[in-house]
Amino acid sequence: MFRLSFRTGLFIACLATLLISCFATDEVDTAKNTALIRGGDTSVLLEGESGKISTVYFKPDDDDDDGKDNNDDDEKEDFSDNNEELLSFQVESLQEVGGDGKPVGLQGSLRHGVNSLDSIMFRFSALDNSTFYQGIPVKIINMSESVLSNQQGNLRLVVMVFLSAGNVTFGNETFRVQSGTMKFNIEVSDWPFCNASVSCLSQSNQPEIGEFLELTLGIKSEADDLEEEVDSDICVDPDDDPNENDDDCPKVYKLGGNSKMALNKGVLIDTGNYVAMPQGFPKVEGTGRMDKKVIFRIPVFNNTAILDPSVDVGPPTKKPGNGTGHNSASSVQFISLAFILSYFLVYYR
């Protein structure tokens, strides 16, 4: 009798271990103020301090050079800056500008710009790993609203990882996503633009009017330059008209290796109105792995403005070495599965 109970207990314990190792792969670490999301072959690390978003291609069952799955316990995602295939994105600054593109609101008690978000502390919402976005299953988490300097506006990042393929619409633009595509909304709200109600004066004591908010997104990737991709398979023509221009498709850039980024040419403002950015925006600047950036020029809004970058993290161009390619949970799954099979063999023989 005791022998049967022991076997049953062992079976239940191993089954529980297997289920936990298979499904409890995402985590929010409140002590470190970080969150980790996995979907498809993509892993995303979010840092509450500064709002940095890092992502890598991660396939737990990938083979090593010998062609066998070795289930190495010490191999997991490499989010270090030494990983050349790491992609990272961070809102670096916001600056209100006039119609001529020059900064406004530099004088006075309320500065209409934020030079750095390194000291901003974002707070995470609960991770929702069973929801849908435009009918496509996703995992989603918010880096909750944080008041910017001098109580000037709020910034929120909504990060999602798609779990299957489909088409997504943002305003007038439609594009494809894959299992593992990472998309992040950048939402700015309650920005006090220089206008008749909010007085701003230039250095010569002249009134200033703000017409745009420029948001700079810093990017780190393997490519030295962000090269625009023509005829990308990310683009979707909802009317199936080969002669139509590409106004209904976002700009697509190569990030290096097999990774791509889609940048919408418009922004959703206030109640979801789609407004195109001025000609030439979003604008890519900088060169080198660590020094690239995209500048979005957002037209003046009353309540909220939303940008919608998305990233396809492609497989590495070379075989990953130690630190990438395997999940330590795979060994736990293998051992647990072996125990479960042993239970059935012994109990039912």
Side-chain angles (χ1 to χ4, degrees):
M1 188 69 178
F2 171 80
R3 187 179 181 188
L4 178 61
S5 300
F6 175 78
R7 289 175 178 172
T8 304
L10 181 62
F11 169 76
I12 294 173
C14 290
L15 180 60
T17 301
L18 179 63
L19 291 174
I20 291 172
S21 64
C22 285
F23 297 108
T25 58
D26 306 302
E27 57 189 64
V28 177
D29 190 330
T30 54
K32 295 181 179 179
N33 199 20
T34 62
L36 178 64
I37 311 176
R38 298 184 178 102
D41 294 333
T42 301
S43 292
V44 182
L45 178 68
L46 314 176
E47 299 179 35
E49 184 175 357
S50 78
K52 183 179 178 182
I53 302 170
S54 301
T55 183
V56 293
Y57 182 86
F58 179 64
K59 189 173 183 180
D61 293 329
D62 197 13
D63 295 337
D64 285 340
D65 292 335
D66 58 5
K68 299 178 181 179
D69 184 2
N70 295 320
N71 294 310
D72 298 324
D73 288 345
D74 60 347
E75 293 191 357
K76 53 186 178 180
E77 299 100 329
D78 181 4
F79 287 109
S80 71
D81 287 336
N82 294 327
N83 181 6
E84 294 184 356
E85 290 162 353
L86 174 78
L87 305 175
S88 71
F89 309 87
Q90 182 178 357
V91 177
E92 292 186 345
S93 64
L94 301 97
Q95 177 60 56
E96 187 175 338
V97 300
D100 57 2
K102 295 181 179 179
V104 298
L106 297 178
Q107 303 296 315
S109 59
L110 183 62
R111 192 179 186 283
H112 290 244
V114 180
N115 289 333
S116 173
L117 275 72
D118 286 344
S119 61
I120 298 293
M121 293 295 293
F122 293 87
R123 294 177 300 276
F124 295 108
S125 68
L127 172 66
D128 190 342
N129 58 12
S130 180
T131 190
F132 292 85
Y133 181 85
Q134 297 186 14
I136 307 172
V138 297
K139 295 181 179 181
I140 188 169
I141 191 170
N142 294 347
M143 301 178 77
S144 63
E145 295 182 3
S146 298
V147 177
L148 302 175
S149 61
N150 297 326
Q151 304 295 307
Q152 180 182 328
N154 300 290
L155 178 67
R156 183 171 68 149
L157 305 176
V158 182
V159 183
M160 64 188 75
V161 178
F162 288 86
L163 303 180
S164 66
N167 291 344
V168 169
T169 298
F170 182 81
N172 299 341
E173 304 175 49
T174 303
F175 53 99
R176 293 186 181 88
V177 295
Q178 308 297 328
S179 176
T181 295
M182 185 268 290
K183 187 164 78 67
F184 55 103
N185 291 156
I186 305 173
E187 180 182 307
V188 184
S189 60
D190 301 325
W191 187 272
F193 282 91
C194 298
N195 51 36
S197 302
V198 181
S199 177
C200 298
L201 298 176
S202 66
Q203 290 182 342
S204 59
N205 212 34
Q206 297 300 311
E208 294 180 313
I209 299 296
E211 295 192 19
F212 303 98
L213 177 65
E214 286 194 351
L215 184 147
T216 300
L217 179 71
I219 299 175
K220 296 178 182 178
S221 73
E222 185 178 355
D224 286 334
D225 299 290
L226 297 182
E227 178 184 352
E228 188 170 358
E229 182 175 276
V230 181
D231 299 326
S232 173
D233 56 5
I234 293 177
C235 294
V236 174
D237 182 2
D239 301 323
D240 293 325
D241 184 357
N243 298 318
E244 187 178 272
N245 58 30
D246 292 332
D247 290 343
D248 53 9
C249 180
K251 293 184 176 180
V252 178
Y253 292 90
K254 300 176 183 178
L255 294 174
N258 296 296
S259 299
K260 303 176 184 179
M261 174 178 60
L263 298 176
N264 300 103
K265 291 175 282 190
V267 55
L268 294 182
I269 63 172
D270 299 329
T271 57
N273 297 322
Y274 177 84
V275 179
M277 291 183 225
Q279 185 69 27
F281 290 89
K283 180 170 63 174
V284 173
E285 290 187 349
T287 60
R289 176 174 168 249
M290 311 283 282
D291 299 315
K292 298 178 291 295
K293 57 190 62 181
V294 175
I295 300 175
F296 302 89
R297 183 169 283 186
I298 305 169
V300 64
F301 55 91
N302 294 319
N303 300 310
T304 303
I306 299 176
L307 302 168
D308 190 50
S310 61
V311 177
D312 283 338
V313 185
T317 54
K318 56 181 179 295
K319 282 287 185 180
N322 289 338
T324 60
H326 288 281
N327 185 353
S328 59
S330 59
S331 293
V332 178
Q333 294 169 10
F334 176 79
I335 295 171
S336 300
L337 184 59
F339 272 119
I340 292 171
L341 292 175
S342 299
Y343 170 84
F344 279 110
L345 291 173
V346 172
Y347 185 71
Y348 290 106
R349 66 181 179 181

